[in-house]
Amino acid sequence: MRAYILLPLIVLCICSFKPSPSLFTMINLGKTVPTDTVRFDMVGNHIVVEAMVFDSIKVKLIFDTGADGLYIDSTFAKRHGQITGNLKDPDPAERVKYARSLGLLRSKLAAIKVGNINTTLRPAIIDLKGTTIKHADGLAGLDLMAKYVMEINYKQRFIVFHSPATFKAPVKMPQIPITRTGFNRYLLDLEFDKGTELKVKGQAYLDLGYGPKQIGIGSIMAEKNDLIKALKATAMEVKGRSLTTEKVTYYSASMRSVKIGDLLIDTPKIRLMRSTGKGNSNTSLSFVGNYIFSRYTTVYFDFQGRKIYLDK
């Protein structure tokens, strides 16, 4: 998600029911790339893979380092018999409570096969279609990805999962250090340059589920540096509902450059966020995702080694 809407759900959707097994199998990947790879499509700014879930039901998943485990849309789950009874469409003020109640459906373990990878995850049911995401039925997060070095080839559209024990770090490739947080998410350092006296340093989450083709600057960094005024940012109309009760306003701007690790990115687009109202939302946080990394041919995400390697 944008996974960027899911931070409250990571906390809210945990439960302790006894699991019952179900099948989750990836599609046949074809012959143009090795059989231990996973093909994907870029839809908007999301990496989307086709998979099977709930006993061989086809599903489209966003690969999302901003989420923890496996999230399935509630409407999709209802349509395929995973929710019994009435499925109401709650008003925004009740969405946190509603998300919590649906999270209790995280009671079945899903056996997952991705390429040559076999594991199990316990899916959470959320109201994904009620947000701005319409092109996927679920999210696959770090509970899967962080166990491996994830090689993403943005040009040829495939992913390879490497074992950290045998992975050899690429030689002489630009690299970005990342830091793991207590939420099983990863941070990287940013430094913006407006080309005037304005220079802004901060941190952002590594979030491949962040949808806009911009770097997301959360309300904490934006308000601390008065960026909306300083950048003469333009208010944007963004359709879609929040999973919290807050009201969010988005602004668009640009910087002369942004430095991420040792990389200098020219004239990046910036999306500033300001929120009012109640709710623990990710709009307070900043995000870097496929908008930056898809500029490279291949990117290696070494979660255990705390590094990102980029190949032009």
Side-chain angles (χ1 to χ4, degrees):
M1 240 241 201
R2 158 166 307 147
Y4 59 89
I5 61 177
L6 287 177
L7 184 58
L9 296 173
I10 294 173
V11 177
L12 294 175
C13 294
I14 298 174
C15 66
S16 57
F17 285 92
K18 293 182 179 180
S20 59
S22 62
L23 181 64
F24 187 113
T25 309
M26 295 303 298
I27 61 170
N28 188 337
L29 298 173
K31 299 180 180 180
T32 59
V33 293
T35 56
D36 60 349
T37 69
V38 177
R39 289 190 179 279
F40 69 88
D41 291 321
M42 289 297 294
V43 182
N45 204 39
H46 287 138
I47 293 173
V48 180
V49 299
E50 286 193 359
M52 305 299 288
V53 69
F54 296 142
D55 298 320
S56 300
I57 298 170
K58 184 179 291 187
V59 62
K60 291 183 178 180
L61 295 176
I62 293 171
F63 267 28
D64 181 10
T65 57
D68 56 348
L70 175 64
Y71 293 84
I72 300 297
D73 173 63
S74 56
T75 303
F76 177 88
K78 173 69 174 180
R79 186 168 66 248
H80 293 286
Q82 302 302 310
I83 299 177
T84 57
N86 295 326
L87 181 64
K88 65 178 182 177
D89 185 15
D91 61 74
E94 295 294 324
R95 296 184 77 78
V96 172
K97 180 179 178 181
Y98 181 64
R100 184 188 296 114
S101 68
L102 288 181
L104 296 179
L105 292 170
R106 193 183 233 185
S107 58
K108 294 182 179 180
L109 278 180
I112 300 176
K113 184 179 181 182
V114 183
N116 290 332
I117 298 168
N118 291 275
T119 187
T120 56
L121 291 177
R122 193 184 305 270
I125 310 299
I126 64 171
D127 183 17
L128 186 65
K129 295 293 187 180
T131 69
T132 57
I133 295 176
K134 310 296 182 184
H135 50 270
D137 307 304
L139 310 170
L142 280 168
D143 284 357
L144 171 66
M145 290 180 272
K147 298 177 182 179
Y148 303 92
V149 177
M150 189 170 64
E151 174 189 346
I152 299 181
N153 187 308
Y154 283 96
K155 302 301 182 184
Q156 297 184 33
R157 299 288 196 264
F158 66 84
I159 303 171
V160 181
F161 291 86
H162 298 276
S163 168
T166 58
F167 175 72
K168 294 183 179 180
V171 178
K172 296 182 180 180
M173 275 192 189
Q175 57 183 263
I176 300 171
I178 55 177
T179 304
R180 186 180 182 276
T181 72
F183 291 102
N184 191 28
R185 298 175 74 176
Y186 292 84
L187 288 168
L188 45 82
D189 293 328
L190 294 177
E191 182 177 352
F192 290 109
D193 184 356
K194 177 59 178 174
T196 61
E197 296 180 357
L198 178 64
K199 295 184 185 294
V200 178
K201 292 184 179 181
Q203 287 187 312
Y205 281 94
L206 167 62
D207 191 350
L208 300 186
Y210 184 65
K213 294 184 178 181
Q214 297 163 307
I215 295 175
I217 302 300
S219 58
I220 294 176
M221 187 185 298
E223 293 174 7
K224 179 180 178 181
N225 297 280
D226 199 16
L227 291 180
I228 294 174
K229 179 179 178 181
L231 298 175
K232 298 179 180 179
T234 303
M236 305 167 56
E237 181 182 356
V238 179
K239 297 180 180 180
R241 297 175 294 182
S242 171
L243 290 177
T244 73
T245 59
E246 68 178 350
K247 296 180 181 179
V248 184
T249 306
Y250 299 94
Y251 298 83
S252 179
S254 63
M255 288 279 190
R256 183 175 72 175
S257 64
V258 60
K259 189 176 182 181
I260 304 175
D262 291 330
L263 301 176
L264 193 64
I265 310 298
D266 290 334
T267 58
K269 295 180 180 179
I270 310 297
R271 190 191 207 198
L272 300 155
M273 293 172 274
R274 172 185 286 170
S275 64
T276 59
K278 298 179 181 179
N280 179 24
S281 171
N282 283 13
T283 54
S284 63
L285 308 174
S286 300
F287 305 96
V288 172
N290 292 314
Y291 167 65
I292 294 297
F293 298 117
S294 62
R295 300 181 181 201
Y296 295 83
T297 298
T298 304
V299 182
Y300 297 84
F301 295 92
D302 183 359
F303 299 102
Q304 296 186 30
R306 307 292 193 264
K307 292 285 180 65
I308 300 172
Y309 301 91
L310 306 103
D311 185 7
K312 283 285 189 181

